[in-house]
Amino acid sequence: MKDVQKQLDNRKISINEVGITNLKIPLYFPSNKKNQLVIADITMGANLPAHQKGTHMSRFAQIATEIANSKLDEKLIKKVLQKTKDELKSDFAKVEFSFLLFLAKSSPISKNKSFMDYDCKIVGELGQNNIPWYSMEISVPIATLCPCSKEISRHGAHNQRADVVLKLKAHTYISPIEVIQLIEKTASSALCAILKREDEKFVTEKMYENPKFVEDVVRDVALWAKKDKRITTFQVQCISYESIHNHNAYAIIINNKKPC
């Protein structure tokens, strides 16, 4: 049967990435000492030399299908990258896993169990030198209390929910759970799905004693990222959904510690 993809192309233009996206498969993510089932949205790609007309799209889907119900960790990412390079006979391979991660949390005083959800994306890349690179994008909901409002008010201070989005690139795999826990520590308070009255009292008072601007949050996250030798590039953004304004507040820090 004729293989059109293998035909020569005379336009002499190579393609950096070509592949498939939005393929969903079940995987297991190690969290809370258990393997949690996640539905991962996968993007897979490889480079295409100038002389080749097309890539073999079905091979990406075959590789993804073979790893269904596997544990999503550094070992699996390396396996997918190497197999993609081998099967596609390419110099570069890339794989992205996007999924919703649930982490069990206990309320601070009553210790009621509940779950928080976090949007996660893990990306692996493998080039000619066969040294893997890892990228990550994590979205973490938090709570902040305005330092200015606390300073000028006789009673209370306005507080609100906020979202922190951290994008980073590293030469070592970093667990999303580590990143989530770090970001929550930079907030006036972390969020929890179940709060009884004693928990609400604790959280309200904790936020009042730990006021944070969006500027404070991104600086604290950036301070950690700058010190971490695994990380080469990062971008941190915090958006505050203001409770007393008809607009939101945001802050962004972009840092390239060294070339990737």
Side-chain angles (χ1 to χ4, degrees):
M1 195 175 293
K2 190 174 183 179
D3 190 346
V4 177
Q5 284 101 330
K6 284 188 176 181
Q7 291 181 354
L8 296 177
D9 194 283
N10 59 12
R11 284 166 287 190
K12 298 180 181 180
I13 300 175
S14 60
I15 297 177
N16 297 91
E17 289 182 38
V18 56
I20 63 172
T21 189
N22 299 129
L23 176 66
K24 293 177 174 59
I25 65 166
L27 293 168
Y28 286 91
F29 187 87
S31 66
N32 299 116
K33 299 181 181 179
K34 295 181 180 179
N35 290 330
Q36 175 186 157
L37 176 64
V38 298
I39 304 302
D41 194 321
I42 296 182
T43 295
M44 298 176 67
N47 68 310
L48 189 71
H51 68 269
Q52 189 173 333
K53 185 173 182 62
T55 192
H56 296 277
M57 294 290 185
S58 63
R59 295 183 186 178
F60 293 110
Q62 286 175 323
I63 295 170
T65 302
E66 288 171 4
I67 66 167
N69 297 312
S70 298
K71 184 165 69 172
L72 177 50
D73 56 12
E74 182 179 12
K75 183 179 178 180
L76 182 70
I77 295 171
K78 287 181 177 179
K79 176 182 175 181
V80 171
L81 291 172
Q82 190 60 60
K83 188 156 190 177
T84 300
K85 283 186 66 177
D86 293 343
E87 291 286 330
L88 277 297
K89 296 180 173 55
S90 61
D91 296 324
F92 170 82
K94 181 178 179 179
V95 62
E96 297 181 5
F97 299 92
S98 298
F99 57 97
L100 194 62
L101 176 63
F102 289 88
L103 295 183
K105 300 185 72 175
S106 297
S107 49
I109 304 300
S110 68
K111 303 304 178 184
N112 276 280
K113 298 285 186 181
S114 61
F115 288 90
M116 285 291 298
D117 56 283
Y118 307 88
D119 286 316
C120 300
K121 179 191 285 186
I122 301 174
V123 183
E125 299 179 23
L126 192 64
Q128 284 183 302
N129 59 7
N130 281 327
I131 298 176
W133 281 93
Y134 302 96
S135 303
M136 182 181 299
E137 182 175 336
I138 307 289
S139 180
V140 182
I142 62 169
T144 60
L145 183 137
C146 178
C148 182
S149 178
K150 175 183 176 179
E151 183 68 24
I152 64 178
S153 302
R154 286 186 298 170
H155 307 289
H158 78 81
N159 56 79
Q160 52 276 314
R161 285 190 301 112
D163 274 323
V164 178
V165 178
L166 176 61
K167 302 176 183 179
L168 61 84
K169 189 168 186 178
H171 53 75
T172 303
Y173 179 80
I174 301 174
S175 169
I177 297 175
E178 178 185 348
V179 175
I180 290 167
Q181 292 173 342
L182 178 281
I183 291 174
E184 288 182 335
K185 288 179 181 178
T186 69
S188 294
S189 175
L191 301 185
C192 196
I194 297 177
L195 293 174
K196 296 297 187 179
R197 281 175 294 179
E198 58 268 36
D199 300 311
E200 288 193 28
K201 179 180 184 297
F202 176 88
V203 170
T204 302
E205 292 174 349
K206 178 184 178 182
M207 291 177 65
Y208 191 77
E209 296 302 323
N210 188 32
K212 290 288 186 79
F213 290 127
V214 290
E215 297 94 326
D216 295 315
V217 174
V218 294
R219 282 174 171 151
D220 286 344
V221 175
L223 191 61
W224 164 76
K226 281 188 173 184
K227 290 180 179 178
D228 196 308
K229 295 180 180 180
R230 299 170 296 179
I231 299 172
T232 59
T233 302
F234 69 87
Q235 175 180 312
V236 56
Q237 172 181 283
C238 182
I239 299 178
S240 173
Y241 304 108
E242 295 292 285
S243 59
I244 64 170
H245 302 296
N246 193 28
H247 60 263
N248 298 324
Y250 79 94
I252 299 174
I253 292 176
I254 301 172
N255 186 274
N256 293 311
K257 293 162 67 175
K258 51 187 156 181
C260 296

